[in-house]
């Protein structure tokens, strides 16, 4: 599980470019370091908001599967 949800990352990254807030303002609002928010915004600017969404989930394997491999 990731520390921050995909929805939160997308929301924050989409709020910044429209001039609604600064990195420091968003940092105080969401209680997240400004450097992390800056990383999310830059990633979204370069690759789109889809890049912030979690692509994998934790897999669970059965005992039988674990014994075979």
């Amino acid at each position: 599980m990731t520390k921050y949800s995909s929805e939160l990352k997308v929301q924050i990254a989409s709020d910044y470019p429209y001039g609604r807030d600064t990195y420091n303002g968003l940092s105080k609002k969401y209680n997240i370091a400004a450097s992390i928010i800056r990383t999310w915004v830059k990633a979204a600017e370069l690759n789109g908001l889809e890049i912030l969404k979690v692509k994998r989930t934790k897999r669970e394997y059965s005992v039988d599967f674990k014994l075979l491999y």
Side-chain angles (χ1 to χ4, degrees):
M1 184 173 180
T2 60
K3 188 170 183 177
Y4 302 106
S5 70
S6 298
E7 294 82 18
L8 178 64
K9 292 178 185 180
V10 169
Q11 179 184 357
I12 292 172
S14 61
D15 279 352
Y16 176 77
Y18 297 110
R20 293 182 187 152
D21 222 335
T22 62
Y23 291 127
N24 288 333
L26 290 170
S27 174
K28 290 176 184 175
K29 180 178 178 181
Y30 292 102
N31 198 22
I32 300 172
S35 60
I36 294 173
I37 293 173
R38 188 177 305 111
T39 302
W40 295 342
V41 170
K42 293 296 179 189
E45 286 175 351
L46 293 174
N47 302 308
L49 292 174
E50 288 295 317
I51 198 71
L52 298 175
K53 295 185 179 176
V54 176
K55 292 165 188 60
R56 290 182 254 188
T57 58
K58 184 178 177 182
R59 293 184 181 177
E60 294 185 20
Y61 297 101
S62 67
V63 174
D64 294 333
F65 181 83
K66 290 178 183 179
L67 291 175
L68 289 175
Y69 300 99

